Amino acid sequence: MKQAAARAALEYVVEGGVIGVGTGSTARFFIEELSGMKGRIAGAVASSEDTRRRLQGHGIRVFELGEIADCPVYVDGADEITPKMHMIKGGGGALTREKIVAAVAGRFVCIVDGSKVVNYLGRFPLPVEIIPMARAHVARELAGLGGTPVLRAGFVTDNGNLILDVQGLRIFDPVELETRINQIAGVVTNGLFARRPADVCLVGTPDGTRAMTR
Ligand code: 5RP
């Protein structure tokens, strides 16, 4: 189902453009699909070092964000997505670079299997990337918001930071909570993608792939 959603995303690839590419198992399927049309795109922007290596391994040119004039489309998976196209991302730990590429992209195409579609976010623990020295302070603040932060053991992000996975948050207003958590000193960003939601979500199901839009 992930592969079917990834294949369907090829329809949104803009020929001649630089394509933003996400991180995770669904994005990996997309990289394989994209390699089949690499001669028809200028190249890609990677949301993680893992994705960069995989793209280059398929002979796809990888640009730095500062090198390109625009990025017409960004294709990435999600850990949870609602019908309003708000998401939790960062299960793979690449949330900050993912959010940067999503901010630059003209269109965000989310690719998921049906299990990721939820009415309310929060069953999946919310990843928060933090500056290491702020760990105790941020953890206290997140507990004050009603969550239980757990340090992702043995994990360092591509940016040299740590991740707290926050369990038990009741996320009624994702836009407000995204903003609030990002204001805690020491937070780099959090895995709520609500201020910049997806534009299209391709959902792989046993009966085929369906598109949700805002
Ligand atoms: C990585 C992400 C991924 O998009 C998210 O974790 C979904 O992963 P998968 O496609 O493996 O289910 O945000 O940081």
Side-chain angles (χ1 to χ4, degrees), residues 127-138:
V128 181
E129 180 165 349
I130 60 162
I131 301 290
M133 74 169 281
R135 176 178 155 188
H137 167 67
V138 177

Side-chain angles (χ1 to χ4, degrees), residues 57-70:
H58 282 284
I60 296 172
R61 181 170 177 194
V62 177
F63 291 88
E64 297 301 324
L65 256 190
E67 290 180 302
I68 60 171
D70 69 351

Side-chain angles (χ1 to χ4, degrees), residues 2 23-27 76-79 89-95 98 116:
K2 289 180 177 188
T23 299
S25 57
T26 320
D76 196 1
D79 300 300
K89 290 183 46 53
L95 61 160
E98 291 173 342
K116 306 286 188 69

Side-chain angles (χ1 to χ4, degrees), residues 1-139:
M1 290 184 277
K2 289 180 177 188
Q3 186 171 23
R7 188 166 297 149
L10 289 182
E11 264 191 47
Y12 294 83
V13 169
V14 176
E15 295 211 12
V18 177
I19 311 306
V21 182
T23 299
S25 57
T26 320
R28 289 202 286 275
F29 281 121
F30 177 68
I31 293 169
E32 282 169 26
E33 299 291 336
L34 189 64
S35 69
M37 62 175 291
K38 64 183 175 196
R40 290 189 278 143
I41 58 170
V45 168
S47 63
S48 65
E49 293 306 318
D50 181 70
T51 291
R52 177 196 304 279
R53 280 190 294 274
R54 287 172 191 276
L55 287 164
Q56 288 171 337
H58 282 284
I60 296 172
R61 181 170 177 194
V62 177
F63 291 88
E64 297 301 324
L65 256 190
E67 290 180 302
I68 60 171
D70 69 351
C71 175
V73 63
Y74 176 53
V75 179
D76 196 1
D79 300 300
E80 289 182 342
I81 183 163
T82 70
K84 288 187 176 168
M85 313 294 263
H86 296 151
M87 294 163 280
I88 285 183
K89 290 183 46 53
L95 61 160
T96 299
R97 294 189 187 192
E98 291 173 342
K99 203 174 272 196
I100 294 168
V101 182
V104 170
R107 200 176 206 189
F108 188 144
V109 178
C110 181
I111 48 176
V112 293
D113 66 71
S115 70
K116 306 286 188 69
V117 181
V118 298
N119 284 325
Y120 297 97
L121 300 173
R123 186 184 290 264
F124 191 91
L126 177 67
V128 181
E129 180 165 349
I130 60 162
I131 301 290
M133 74 169 281
R135 176 178 155 188
H137 167 67
V138 177

